[in-house]
Amino acid sequence: QVLLVASGGGLVQAGGSLRLSCTASGRTFSNYHMGWFRRAPGKEREFIASIAWTGASTYYIDSVKGRFTISRDNAQNTVYLQMNSLEPGDTAVYSCAAGTVLTYNYADYWGQGTQVTVSS
């Protein structure tokens, strides 16, 4: 079992930045691909970004490319999401996920969310 705890959300004005963190405990963190997802009010969960277990490759959806950066520190069992140039449309509950297989709608483990609110 892997326990994932996300933090770093908050209220920010449009154009601002936030850095989310997700710390894992349980099994060996470096064995897992990691991803960030979000769920906006009234919408389905949306995949945002992922990073391979080695950290060598990353993937982003088009709407966050150039604004968001996913990274990981395997020594700290933590994955990060640096979010810059935030827009009101980024308002959502953000959560992280881990998996030996991780896709846009599947992961082995899911964490609780952290609220991000972007005001205009």
Side-chain angles (χ1 to χ4, degrees):
Q1 190 76 335
V2 175
L3 178 64
L4 302 168
V5 179
S7 61
L11 173 63
V12 64
Q13 288 188 330
S17 298
L18 283 174
R19 188 194 196 202
L20 305 184
S21 300
C22 173
T23 301
S25 60
R27 295 190 176 183
T28 305
F29 175 77
S30 59
N31 287 348
Y32 296 95
H33 306 306
M34 299 296 296
W36 284 96
F37 294 74
R38 66 186 179 188
R39 187 190 296 271
K43 295 186 178 181
E44 294 189 353
R45 184 176 61 207
E46 176 185 38
F47 165 83
I48 304 170
S50 64
I51 185 167
W53 66 274
T54 61
S57 63
T58 57
Y59 180 82
Y60 302 89
I61 59 172
D62 286 344
S63 62
V64 307
K65 278 182 183 177
R67 300 189 299 123
F68 291 10
T69 303
I70 188 171
S71 61
R72 66 189 295 161
D73 183 341
N74 286 346
Q76 298 296 323
N77 290 350
T78 301
V79 62
Y80 303 97
L81 186 69
Q82 177 67 44
M83 305 186 296
N84 299 328
S85 302
L86 283 162
E87 304 167 353
D90 295 318
T91 294
V93 175
Y94 285 69
S95 57
C96 61
T100 54
V101 175
L102 191 143
T103 70
Y104 76 98
N105 66 351
Y106 176 83
D108 294 323
Y109 303 103
W110 297 89
Q112 101 297 350
T114 184
Q115 176 71 47
V116 171
T117 302
V118 184
S119 63
S120 58

